[in-house]
Amino acid sequence: HGQAECQSCEDGFTTSGPGQSECIVGRSTCPPGFGLQDGVCVACSLGQYSDVETGKCESCKAGSYSDSEQSVECILCPPGRHGIQNTVRSTLSGSCALCAQGKYVSTLGATSCIDCPPGSSCGKKGMIESSPCAPGTYTDSKGQLNCKACPPGRYQSESGFAKCSSCAAGTYNDQQASINASACVKCEPGNFASNPGLGECTTCSEGHIQPEEGAVACNRSCKAEQGRTMTSNEEHTSCTIDSAAKS
């Protein structure tokens, strides 16, 4: 006798395994947006999607959500937001929180946000990239909301830097937020700046002079000449007879 051909079960029926002689109520696979539950196809609910691998409705993972029934895939959280843990992920706002101030994220489906790096700021919620500090400003640590002005004695000509450059010794800058080295001015004669990055020059001490500009020290002292006591003039640029001294 010839073998009977295998017949397909009607829609809504399946077999309990290979080599069966009858069909039973149930399905082996479900259409997209539905999942198998106790042999019956049920519509995937909010926060779920139909998984092709398991044939079931699965919950959306952190960093994604599903805001409609019968979804075949979850929607990834957009840049500027991160996935929330331990929640039914059925809405954008309830599943994907805005990045906090001081943080950002530029990718889809993120589960966390990143600290803004030094040299930048993140002053608003939900930022998708950090804002580089403008010339004349800086941030020297991560996660800052605002960039700081370069202090007196310093400048920064480029954007996105974590520190400001110092004015050279012998120069000073009494302004904040300077954007180039031309803000550093040479100390006037009679004054000096011994270190880099100063906001003002120091006047030479009594009896010492500096006739040159841009000096780092006042290393010339007024000595007695021909038995007369000498001192510095009012500007500390030259020596003069000390009229206050007794002759």
Side-chain angles (χ1 to χ4, degrees):
H1 297 286
Q3 292 183 337
E5 290 184 7
C6 292
Q7 304 291 317
S8 296
C9 292
E10 292 181 20
D11 198 30
F13 290 82
T14 187
T15 63
S16 58
Q20 301 299 310
S21 60
E22 61 179 0
C23 295
I24 58 174
V25 175
R27 300 184 63 119
S28 57
T29 59
C30 295
F34 290 78
L36 204 57
Q37 187 175 318
D38 299 326
V40 179
C41 289
V42 294
C44 296
S45 57
L46 297 176
Q48 294 183 325
Y49 71 103
S50 56
D51 190 321
V52 178
E53 297 290 325
T54 65
K56 298 179 180 179
C57 294
E58 304 286 357
S59 295
C60 291
K61 296 177 175 62
S64 66
Y65 67 100
S66 165
D67 58 4
S68 61
E69 295 182 344
Q70 301 178 27
S71 292
V72 296
E73 62 182 2
C74 299
I75 304 166
L76 296 175
C77 292
R81 291 178 178 264
H82 67 94
I84 301 172
Q85 303 293 334
N86 304 322
T87 182
V88 176
R89 302 182 178 96
S90 57
T91 64
L92 170 62
S93 59
S95 312
C96 308
L98 289 168
C99 291
Q101 287 180 302
K103 295 176 180 286
Y104 77 101
V105 69
S106 55
T107 54
L108 287 165
T111 54
S112 62
C113 299
I114 305 163
D115 285 324
C116 281
S120 70
S121 67
C122 293
K124 297 184 293 185
K125 289 183 177 180
M127 292 187 68
I128 63 173
E129 59 184 5
S130 59
S131 296
C133 292
T137 67
Y138 74 105
T139 52
D140 53 5
S141 56
K142 64 183 181 181
Q144 297 301 300
L145 309 191
N146 299 291
C147 297
K148 299 179 284 189
C150 291
R154 295 175 180 270
Y155 66 94
Q156 180 50 256
S157 56
E158 298 183 56
S159 59
F161 270 73
K163 62 181 181 179
C164 303
S165 300
S166 296
C167 291
T171 69
Y172 76 102
N173 169 22
D174 60 3
Q175 303 294 315
Q176 289 190 332
S178 297
I179 60 172
N180 54 47
S182 64
C184 304
V185 182
K186 288 182 178 181
C187 293
E188 295 178 356
N191 298 270
F192 70 100
S194 57
N195 296 312
L198 295 179
E200 60 182 3
C201 299
T202 303
T203 302
C204 297
S205 60
E206 193 67 33
H208 289 76
I209 64 168
Q210 178 50 262
E212 306 292 334
E213 66 177 3
V216 298
C218 295
N219 49 14
R220 292 175 62 183
S221 60
C222 295
K223 299 173 183 177
E225 292 181 13
Q226 299 174 349
R228 293 177 295 188
T229 304
M230 307 295 287
T231 189
S232 51
N233 63 356
E234 191 175 339
E235 293 80 24
H236 294 271
T237 55
S238 63
C239 296
T240 184
I241 299 171
D242 188 356
S243 58
K246 295 179 181 179
S247 52

